[in-house]
Amino acid sequence: MRIYPFRRRRSLFRIMSIFPVILPIVGTAGCSYCPVPPFNDDMNTKYLLKPIAAMSLSVTLTFAAFAEEDAFNGTETPDAAADIISTSEVERPAVILPSVKEEPKLIRPGDIAVQPPKIVKKDNGELILVQYSTRSQKQNNQPETPAPAVDLPQQYRDFDAMNETERIAHLKRSIQALLTANTKRGVNTMNNTPHDVMLMTLPYGADAKVYQPDPQANPRDRNAPKGTYIYSMGALCWNIPCSGKSLLRTDGNKVIARVGTGYQRQPASFLAMLAMSNIMPNYELKVSGGAYTIAHLIASERMSVSKGMNLSNALIAFSFYGEAKDQWKNEFGETWNVEKMVTEELNRSLDQGTSDVTDWLLGLTSAVRLYESESKPIRGPMALAKKQLGTYRDFILSIQNDHYLWHPKFFLFKGYNPDVYETMYSSGHILRWLVYSLPEKDLQNPQVVRAVMSLAATVNRVPATVSAGSLSDKQLEGLAVSLHALAMYYSRSFKEDPIPSPAQPEKTVANIALVRFGEND
């Protein structure tokens, strides 16, 4: 936390600011005790101009005080938080401001600045891909700062000594154990928001569960049931309140997923989560007593598509729930399709140091896959998107650190950071896209395999006693996305679910809400 010492000079400024009130009163009061002067010019000058002189002096002093205060603010106050001070004249020790939290040091000595590929618009409006060469990357780095020595953990050295069969068995056991252990991370409908539940649903899909406490349970009765586990997908789709927040609403005609703190962070992120979990569009939604389906939510999200917005999640959803030939009109009457959305995404400004860039890559990958699956010709913006994806894959593998993971600033730096949660956040997002986009034959690339193992080891450093409720939003997202990346790698590499589902009828998506929420019809 930042520490700001107590400053007495600011108290002087405050005292001087009341001079315009005090001095004229004193001057006027002094004149009132004088005998009534004869009306001549000398006496008028002597008696009547005293209050005016006092007021002029006070105004001058006040302006000087505020001028000094402005200069003081501009040179010595580091930020707005320094304005929170005490006006006491008594000297006090340094004050720690609890509202100012210390950010982890994301950029450390030895980190190397890199330049990711980017799309540039030419004067004629044509979009071109600019890829920086290895030579230009070196010119932009800081070779004068040596990278700190990294002592690789024992599991890395053990992994290098294994043969291919042993490595596969080790990876399978590690990922299965991590995913199983994290099902008990403590997500519940009382303390966790819909956004939290969505995050922890990603790694497990339709089999994800959330704990629902019984509001009628007697906490003093140890034998009384305290609650039950329900399927997360059913809780979200049936609009069960989570931390008092309901994800879905309706305006009478369409279903709308709320965007904001505790809900979706970006438009269509809930629909993208449903798509990545392979939930069919005829699955039921219950909102405000009305019965809808995911198809209604798809139509609503299509209506809200517009220029300038983040379309990455919408591309993921529409590529799963639609076809390349689909066209629709938004609420402004504009005609849209997947190719037009890709064009908008290629023109959108990105923050290469945040998860915005990996979400962007996920959306473009989904759109290109849709065209490839339908054997559609890939040209124009789709061809540029496909080229962009291949360029980013090569770039990402070139900026792995000594632990085979990535910098907390994503694609802006290359280096290692010991902070577990920051590493999970960036490396989880990056590895998830890499696993999602790579051809199956490249999943056994040694760099990718070591990245999977390293991320699994990083996730394993989060103690089992740490509940989801004790994590910040960013920490929980990093954990959930890392688990999702590991589960995705397991499913694509080994062609099976990392956690086998129990052979029970309620495990199927169609029966989730019916069985778990006690409906009889």
Side-chain angles (χ1 to χ4, degrees), residues 153-164 166-172 174 404 444-446 448-454 489:
Q154 181 64 38
Q155 55 261 43
Y156 292 91
R157 298 191 289 272
D158 294 342
F159 194 76
D160 288 338
M162 297 177 186
N163 58 41
E164 185 175 356
E166 291 173 336
R167 289 178 183 176
I168 292 175
H170 177 78
L171 269 181
K172 291 183 71 172
S174 299
Y404 306 103
Q444 302 308 319
N445 181 325
V448 178
V449 173
R450 283 169 171 75
V452 172
M453 186 204 65
S454 183
Y489 181 84

Side-chain angles (χ1 to χ4, degrees), residues 201-260:
T201 301
L202 278 171
Y204 308 101
D207 292 317
K209 294 182 180 180
V210 59
Y211 185 74
Q212 186 179 40
D214 184 359
Q216 306 298 327
N218 183 1
R220 297 183 179 180
D221 186 357
R222 296 183 178 180
N223 297 321
K226 301 298 189 296
T228 184
Y229 280 94
I230 60 177
Y231 282 93
S232 302
M233 207 68 71
L236 293 169
C237 291
W238 279 41
N239 218 24
I240 301 297
C242 298
S243 189
K245 298 177 181 288
S246 298
L247 176 63
L248 305 173
R249 68 179 180 88
T250 178
D251 62 359
N253 297 317
K254 57 184 179 181
V255 179
I256 301 169
R258 292 183 170 94
V259 179

Side-chain angles (χ1 to χ4, degrees), residues 435-448:
V435 171
Y436 182 71
S437 66
L438 281 173
E440 288 188 6
K441 62 181 179 63
D442 293 335
L443 291 175
Q444 302 308 319
N445 181 325
Q447 286 182 270
V448 178

Side-chain angles (χ1 to χ4, degrees), residues 159-327:
F159 194 76
D160 288 338
M162 297 177 186
N163 58 41
E164 185 175 356
T165 303
E166 291 173 336
R167 289 178 183 176
I168 292 175
H170 177 78
L171 269 181
K172 291 183 71 172
R173 288 195 306 269
S174 299
I175 295 175
Q176 283 180 330
L178 280 174
L179 290 171
T180 302
N182 279 276
T183 58
K184 303 176 181 179
R185 209 40 101 167
V187 181
N188 64 81
T189 59
M190 180 177 291
N191 301 317
N192 294 104
T193 63
H195 178 257
D196 299 338
V197 178
M198 278 193 292
L199 284 176
M200 292 306 291
T201 301
L202 278 171
Y204 308 101
D207 292 317
K209 294 182 180 180
V210 59
Y211 185 74
Q212 186 179 40
D214 184 359
Q216 306 298 327
N218 183 1
R220 297 183 179 180
D221 186 357
R222 296 183 178 180
N223 297 321
K226 301 298 189 296
T228 184
Y229 280 94
I230 60 177
Y231 282 93
S232 302
M233 207 68 71
L236 293 169
C237 291
W238 279 41
N239 218 24
I240 301 297
C242 298
S243 189
K245 298 177 181 288
S246 298
L247 176 63
L248 305 173
R249 68 179 180 88
T250 178
D251 62 359
N253 297 317
K254 57 184 179 181
V255 179
I256 301 169
R258 292 183 170 94
V259 179
T261 303
Y263 301 106
Q264 299 181 113
R265 291 291 178 85
Q266 297 290 342
S269 59
F270 175 52
L271 192 60
M273 185 272 292
L274 294 172
M276 298 185 82
S277 302
N278 297 315
I279 306 300
M280 292 298 103
N282 60 351
Y283 186 68
E284 186 178 10
L285 305 178
K286 284 205 169 184
V287 188
S288 302
Y292 302 88
T293 64
I294 292 175
H296 291 91
L297 182 59
I298 297 171
S300 174
E301 294 291 358
R302 283 181 169 178
M303 287 282 290
S304 64
V305 169
S306 62
K307 293 182 179 180
M309 67 181 291
N310 185 333
L311 300 175
S312 55
N313 287 301
L315 269 177
I316 297 172
F318 299 162
S319 299
F320 177 80
Y321 288 117
E323 299 178 355
K325 65 180 181 181
D326 289 347
Q327 291 190 348

Side-chain angles (χ1 to χ4, degrees), residues 464-477:
T465 55
V466 175
S467 66
S470 63
L471 299 177
S472 68
D473 290 346
K474 185 176 181 181
Q475 291 172 342
L476 183 61
E477 182 176 347

